[in-house]
Amino acid sequence: MWYVSTRGMAPRVNFEGALFSGYAPDGGLFMPEELPQLDRETLRRWSTLSYPSLVQELCALFIGPELIPRDDLDDLIHRAFSRFRHREVVPLSRLRNGLNVLELWHGVTYAFKDLSLCCTAQFLQYFLEKREKHVTVVVGTSGDTGSAAIESVQGAKNVDIIVLLPKGHCTKIQELQMTTVLKENVHVFGVEGNSDELDEPIKAVFADVAFVKRHNLMSLNSINWSRVLVQTAHHFFAYFRCVPSLDTHPLPPVEVVVPTGAAGNLAAGCIAQKMGLPIRLVAAVTCNDIIHRTVQQGDFSLSETVKPTLASAMDIQVPYNMERIFWLLSDSDSQGTRDLMEEFERTRSVRLPEGLQRKLSAAVTSESVPDEAITQTMGRCWEENQYLLCPHSAVAVSYHYQQVDRQASSAPRCCLAPASAAKFPEAVLAAGLSPETPLEILALEKKKTRCTPMQKSNDWTLILRDTIEDIGRQWRITS
């Protein structure tokens, strides 16, 4: 399996090459050159699998046995999920009024990113040990990516991780999950800016191809193909858990509601669709609605500011994985994708070509959900089910309740729940409910913290480069 850049100007790479890259050298994102097409028999066979077994099957399609033999791959994925708190890894809660909630948050940091990052970290360490190499991972986070990335590689001897978090834009718990990890290979910076602003120095560093190569830099944001790959499993698993039967022809559809910020989970859903999974995708966003405007009107443009919402991890203006979706839906048109994205980077505002807009709105519908609807949804779900939603999950469930109240007939629907309500006590209180905080989260309050400030007046790119060079020097001394 080969991977190509969405912008078409970079050499193709194998899975290992895509795994160790952030952006492709031409500024694009890596995608499989061709997607496997799944027949009814394969879907029927997969429908009875556990979540980890499904991840194994999907990964085997995209990672050649010459890179990771199948027995090793199965072992890595088994190891990745060994610390999840629920025996099913990803359980489905069936609630009143046809509400199905797929809980993606039973990993160590109580967020869906544990699922893809724990696998990605296993793949990473497999290749590093084999090649006797060291990498420095650079991550920008809006909340959950940082803690899940740190958790997946803390203490690893071949990996250092640098995390940039937006000071004051994460919840207290999210911040503590990052700043209380004191392992030597973990370097956390508190940036005086929002999550879009802190992506700028990261992109600037990755644009220096010689520097990236010299220091073996990589990213674990959802620009990394490995994360998107594992996230396709959410959609297959949601389908198999909610489809009434696989015996009808054609296969019945299932609607999957994806609360989304950077569009990684949405891109994974579009890939699953293209592979033959009969799902209908709904992108549910906050009032930071660039994805909603793009789907509805073809208006891919920044708003003047990012508005802070209760679903803070989705407060994103630049959903970089939309580039993967544009490429996919334009039949791998890398020239068109490059023109579109370069214009967007220049002007911060583009209108999608009519044909692409038509394909996008056929593949995805969307909804923008204000804070008031988030708290109402959290309250209603508790009242009807004694079930606490996190604010991000409530963005998805709000769409479900809208459809129920309109008495709109539809296919079975599954709402993806990206995080536990335990991580967002402020939002739970805002909904007039009582937070339930696990002991391991309460214990964070008493731990020592370490976080280096990056102030507005600082040169963030320079600080980042200096830190990377220091790590490189240390690695050369100790090895």
Side-chain angles (χ1 to χ4, degrees):
M1 170 73 73
W2 291 100
Y3 294 87
V4 294
S5 167
T6 48
R7 302 195 188 182
M9 302 290 281
R12 64 181 194 167
V13 296
N14 61 14
F15 176 78
E16 185 180 357
L19 173 70
F20 280 92
S21 301
Y23 291 92
D26 60 359
L29 299 173
F30 282 112
M31 284 287 277
E33 198 167 36
E34 286 177 34
L35 288 176
Q37 296 304 298
L38 303 177
D39 57 21
R40 173 191 289 265
E41 202 36 60
T42 303
L43 292 175
R44 191 192 297 276
R45 190 162 42 81
W46 284 11
S47 68
T48 58
L49 296 178
S50 66
Y51 181 86
S53 298
L54 186 57
V55 172
Q56 288 166 351
E57 293 297 330
L58 273 162
C59 287
L61 291 177
F62 290 92
I63 305 170
E66 72 287 354
L67 288 177
I68 306 181
R70 182 59 196 260
D71 285 352
D72 288 353
L73 182 66
D74 288 353
D75 184 47
L76 293 173
I77 291 166
H78 174 74
R79 214 179 302 159
F81 296 129
S82 64
R83 293 184 65 202
F84 276 67
R85 289 181 304 278
H86 198 285
R87 62 185 174 80
E88 288 179 55
V89 179
V90 176
L92 180 77
S93 285
R94 299 181 191 272
L95 307 172
R96 287 184 59 190
N97 286 316
L99 174 58
N100 297 306
V101 177
L102 193 66
E103 298 176 356
L104 304 175
W105 45 261
H106 289 278
V108 173
T109 74
Y110 292 81
F112 81 101
K113 292 171 182 180
D114 289 323
L115 290 162
S116 59
L117 279 165
C118 66
C119 293
T120 299
Q122 289 293 330
F123 302 153
L124 203 56
Q125 288 177 67
Y126 179 84
F127 288 120
L128 288 172
E129 282 169 23
K130 230 172 155 179
R131 315 276 186 249
E132 297 183 334
K133 273 174 63 181
H134 172 273
V135 293
T136 298
V137 174
V138 185
V139 172
T141 186
S142 57
D144 288 328
T145 298
S147 55
I150 288 168
E151 172 55 36
S152 69
V153 299
Q154 63 158 310
K157 66 176 191 293
N158 297 48
V159 183
D160 274 79
I161 183 165
I162 300 169
V163 173
L164 273 55
L165 67 88
K167 203 81 174 125
H169 293 271
C170 304
T171 69
K172 191 177 178 189
I173 288 168
Q174 286 174 318
E175 203 166 295
L176 286 170
Q177 283 183 322
M178 293 181 261
T179 58
T180 54
V181 181
L182 305 180
K183 291 276 181 7
E184 277 184 23
N185 70 326
V186 176
H187 316 267
V188 178
F189 290 85
V191 179
E192 205 180 299
N194 63 38
S195 58
D196 285 322
E197 289 167 336
L198 63 77
D199 275 337
E200 292 300 321
I202 295 173
K203 190 137 196 192
V205 164
F206 276 102
D208 184 341
V209 178
F211 186 80
V212 168
K213 205 169 178 181
R214 189 160 72 250
H215 293 284
N216 288 332
L217 296 190
M218 63 171 291
S219 174
L220 284 181
N221 285 52
S222 56
I223 58 173
N224 193 295
W225 161 250
S226 173
R227 281 190 53 189
V228 178
L229 166 58
V230 176
Q231 286 172 183
T232 60
H234 308 344
H235 298 274
F236 282 91
F237 202 63
Y239 180 79
F240 296 139
R241 286 294 177 270
C242 296
V243 70
S245 165
L246 286 168
D247 294 326
T248 57
H249 190 82
L251 290 171
V254 168
E255 193 168 59
V256 180
V257 190
V258 185
T260 193
N265 254 344
L266 191 63
C270 290
I271 289 163
Q273 265 181 346
K274 282 279 191 184
M275 289 171 71
L277 189 70
I279 52 173
R280 296 174 185 159
L281 290 165
V282 180
V285 301
T286 62
C287 59
N288 297 296
D289 63 350
I290 181 170
I291 294 174
H292 179 53
R293 285 184 284 110
T294 306
V295 169
Q296 299 292 327
Q297 305 149 28
D299 170 23
F300 190 56
S301 64
L302 296 194
S303 304
E304 281 181 28
T305 57
V306 176
K307 303 177 191 79
T309 72
L310 290 170
S312 55
M314 290 160 58
D315 291 343
I316 287 172
Q317 276 248 61
V318 185
Y320 39 81
N321 278 295
M322 289 302 289
E323 178 166 347
R324 283 189 160 111
I325 294 171
F326 297 154
W327 181 84
L328 198 62
L329 297 180
S330 64
D331 300 319
S332 319
D333 177 5
S334 48
Q335 173 73 57
T337 305
R338 184 166 76 251
D339 292 346
L340 192 70
M341 294 311 298
E342 285 179 353
E343 187 186 342
F344 175 74
E345 284 162 359
R346 238 181 3 260
T347 65
R348 297 309 209 189
S349 175
V350 292
R351 184 154 290 281
L352 296 196
E354 203 178 303
L356 179 56
Q357 158 64 17
R358 215 171 28 249
K359 287 177 179 172
L360 178 61
S361 54
V364 181
T365 55
S366 65
E367 192 63 56
S368 172
V369 178
D371 268 3
E372 185 186 334
I374 291 175
T375 51
Q376 283 171 355
T377 299
M378 291 168 75
R380 176 172 172 178
C381 189
W382 177 259
E383 201 176 296
E384 291 183 3
N385 305 286
Q386 275 67 62
Y387 185 93
L388 265 185
L389 291 168
C390 92
H392 308 78
S393 311
V395 172
V397 174
S398 173
Y399 171 83
H400 172 77
Y401 283 152
Q402 276 182 38
Q403 301 307 302
V404 168
D405 294 346
R406 285 180 196 149
Q407 297 183 318
S409 62
S410 85
R413 183 180 299 116
C414 185
C415 296
L416 302 186
S420 164
K423 291 190 82 164
F424 301 94
E426 301 92 338
V428 174
L429 288 167
L433 302 170
S434 302
E436 297 168 358
T437 310
L439 290 174
E440 60 254 54
I441 286 181
L442 288 172
L444 293 172
E445 298 269 0
K446 296 184 176 69
K447 290 187 172 183
K448 274 186 177 173
T449 63
R450 185 176 65 205
C451 181
T452 307
M454 272 190 186
Q455 291 162 339
K456 270 263 191 281
S457 57
N458 297 146
D459 182 334
W460 298 348
T461 305
L462 185 63
I463 292 172
L464 192 51
R465 287 178 73 101
D466 286 350
T467 305
I468 291 162
E469 285 176 339
D470 284 348
I471 289 167
R473 272 192 292 274
Q474 280 302 114
W475 169 253
R476 285 192 295 277
I477 290 163
T478 55
S479 62

